[in-house]
Amino acid sequence: MIFLLCVIIVLAVATYFYMKQPQFGALPEGKRLEMMKKSPHYKDGKFRNLTEKPTIAEGYSFAGEIWKALTVKFPHTEPVDALPSIKTNLKTIPADRNVMVWFGHSSFFLQADGVKILVDPVFSGRMSPLPGKPSAYKGSDIYSVEDMPEIDYMLLSHDHYDHLDYETVKALQSKVKYVICGLGAGAHYERWGYTSKQILEKDWGDKVDVKPGFTIYTENTHHDGGRGFKSSQALWLSFFIQSPAMNIYYSGDGGYSNRFKDIAKKHPAIDWAIMECGQYDKAWQSVHELPEEVALATTELNAKNLIPVHHSKFTLAKHPWDEPLKEITKHSQNKNYRLATPMIGEMVDLDDNTQVFRQWWKNIK
């Protein structure tokens, strides 16, 4: 018993000091914490979803899902072949082009009305602070911080490791004018060397006026956050980008809810919906949409075009790696929106409704 107790103490101390490393970020304190407490969405020491419901669905359990992950080998969860990709030179895109370039998972670059926006960038090849997998698929990690142009706004949907990457964000600091993130998330950026002037922390229903006719709205989603033992200390967001050229909605992560109807009422005429579609499971359906729910949500948004993201870079769920693309293609048949499925690095011309995207995932082993 004494030996076992010593082992537990040593492990606890080692874990404590390991989690003091910078990649774990920082918890909000002082004025930042006081600002959070004023939010109607911060209650009893953490941020809350508008409608609270269990993360794990009825009939499933955390222990059961962890056991499956440790003991069951699910088929085809990552590709054997390298994924096809295109290396677009982001620094030479003319300022008058309205474009989107996807980097795999939920990382992408937007240029609208000359404003350069980088969303949830992860370029380290990893989505965990722990050594080993999950690592990026072959061919999916061709972009680096050095490939990025000067960025006007970097947007963070939430502070999970597959969206907020320490190595990437720290290296980007000198290239980024402003970061727009949820309340509390600024503690991470501040620890990593960002100045208070760079960090714009927002609540649901807030906005940032970029220039005349160009506004970025921070809206809600149904998810959570956290990089350590204390969860939900940084608010999770979706974004509505209203520019003179077009309107773009990015869902961030989150399960299906009535919010899409509400967002459509508040922000009509969505030209492009960039929607989470991947790393889902019926066990945690409340916080990650299934493909059929993505199709329904896009219809409720009245969006003209859909780009599915959150897939094709990391394995975080039990489904085959290409299932999200196959399923959203199937569920998008005869819908009131157009499905766009670019390869990693392929430039999407946001002004061209006739651009053709091939089903690039076919025949990949």
Side-chain angles (χ1 to χ4, degrees):
M1 288 296 294
I2 294 175
F3 174 77
L4 180 60
L5 180 61
C6 289
V7 169
I8 292 172
I9 291 172
V10 168
L11 287 174
V13 171
T15 300
Y16 173 81
F17 282 104
Y18 184 79
M19 294 192 68
K20 288 293 184 181
Q21 294 182 91
Q23 61 263 39
F24 291 96
L27 290 172
E29 57 185 13
K31 292 182 179 179
R32 176 171 285 111
L33 182 57
E34 292 305 312
M35 179 174 63
M36 290 163 50
K37 290 179 178 179
K38 294 177 182 178
S39 168
H41 310 116
Y42 189 84
K43 302 173 186 176
D44 300 324
K46 63 190 296 186
F47 285 108
R48 309 278 177 164
N49 285 302
L50 293 180
T51 301
E52 295 197 55
K53 49 187 174 181
T55 299
I56 295 293
E58 186 176 351
Y60 300 88
S61 69
F62 276 110
E65 293 308 302
I66 291 172
W67 180 252
K68 287 179 190 176
L70 293 174
T71 63
V72 180
K73 176 66 175 177
F74 295 93
H76 204 44
T77 55
E78 61 181 77
V80 176
D81 298 338
L83 300 188
S85 57
I86 297 172
K87 192 67 176 286
T88 297
N89 189 337
L90 306 177
K91 298 176 181 178
T92 61
I93 299 173
D96 61 352
R97 295 285 302 278
N98 298 312
V99 303
M100 181 265 204
V101 177
W102 173 60
F103 306 123
H105 203 61
S106 292
S107 305
F108 59 93
F109 170 80
L110 277 175
Q111 181 173 281
D113 201 54
V115 178
K116 292 177 172 61
I117 298 171
L118 183 61
V119 181
D120 288 354
V122 178
F123 299 137
S124 69
R126 296 179 295 110
M127 53 66 56
S128 169
L130 302 176
K133 291 188 176 183
S135 55
Y137 303 155
K138 289 183 291 185
S140 71
D141 202 35
I142 64 169
Y143 283 86
S144 68
V145 168
E146 288 69 32
D147 297 316
M148 297 300 109
E150 298 295 311
I151 300 297
D152 296 304
Y153 291 87
M154 184 162 65
L155 310 187
L156 174 69
S157 63
H158 63 295
D159 70 349
H160 285 160
Y161 294 101
D162 57 322
H163 294 257
L164 179 59
D165 180 56
Y166 162 68
E167 292 179 28
T168 301
V169 166
K170 185 170 179 58
L172 279 167
Q173 189 269 334
S174 63
K175 289 191 172 189
V176 173
K177 292 180 183 176
Y178 299 104
V179 174
I180 303 178
C181 59
L183 293 173
H188 303 311
Y189 290 95
E190 197 168 84
R191 183 179 183 188
W192 299 338
Y194 283 66
T195 67
S196 59
K197 291 182 179 180
Q198 284 180 286
I199 304 168
L200 307 176
E201 289 179 76
K202 298 297 175 181
D203 204 342
W204 295 335
D206 284 347
K207 66 178 182 176
V208 174
D209 292 319
V210 175
K211 62 182 182 179
F214 200 126
T215 303
I216 299 174
Y217 295 86
T218 54
E219 301 294 358
N220 74 85
T221 180
H222 187 99
H223 201 53
D224 57 15
R227 297 175 73 84
F229 294 121
K230 195 171 184 181
S231 66
S232 304
Q233 299 303 300
L235 188 61
W236 41 99
L237 305 174
S238 63
F239 295 92
F240 179 76
I241 301 167
Q242 182 180 58
S243 79
M246 63 189 60
N247 298 324
I248 301 166
Y249 175 71
Y250 170 47
S251 69
D253 283 9
Y256 176 79
S257 70
N258 287 329
R259 71 181 182 278
F260 299 106
K261 296 176 183 177
D262 297 334
I263 286 169
K265 291 177 183 177
K266 183 176 180 180
H267 303 296
I270 295 175
D271 297 290
W272 290 88
I274 302 171
M275 302 286 284
E276 176 206 19
C277 183
Q279 318 318 314
Y280 50 78
D281 191 289
K282 287 189 176 180
W284 55 80
Q285 188 176 349
S286 69
V287 291
H288 288 288
E289 292 178 288
L290 304 180
E292 55 266 36
E293 293 175 315
V294 176
L296 174 60
T298 305
T299 300
E300 292 178 345
L301 286 167
N302 294 316
K304 296 176 183 177
N305 301 277
L306 163 65
I307 300 177
V309 297
H310 209 245
H311 60 81
S312 301
K313 190 165 188 173
F314 302 113
T315 295
L316 304 173
K318 300 188 288 284
H319 59 68
W321 76 270
D322 55 355
E323 183 183 284
L325 288 161
K326 291 179 177 178
E327 288 296 301
I328 195 59
T329 299
K330 179 178 72 176
H331 290 293
S332 295
Q333 297 295 319
N334 303 314
K335 291 295 192 295
N336 61 350
Y337 61 82
R338 180 179 69 119
L339 176 65
T341 54
M343 288 187 293
I344 290 172
E346 181 177 3
M347 189 163 65
V348 179
D349 187 337
L350 299 176
D351 291 319
D352 183 2
N353 290 325
T354 66
Q355 186 178 0
V356 176
F357 302 93
R358 68 182 183 89
Q359 295 184 2
W360 56 265
W361 56 92
K362 288 188 172 182
N363 302 317
I364 295 176
K365 295 179 182 179

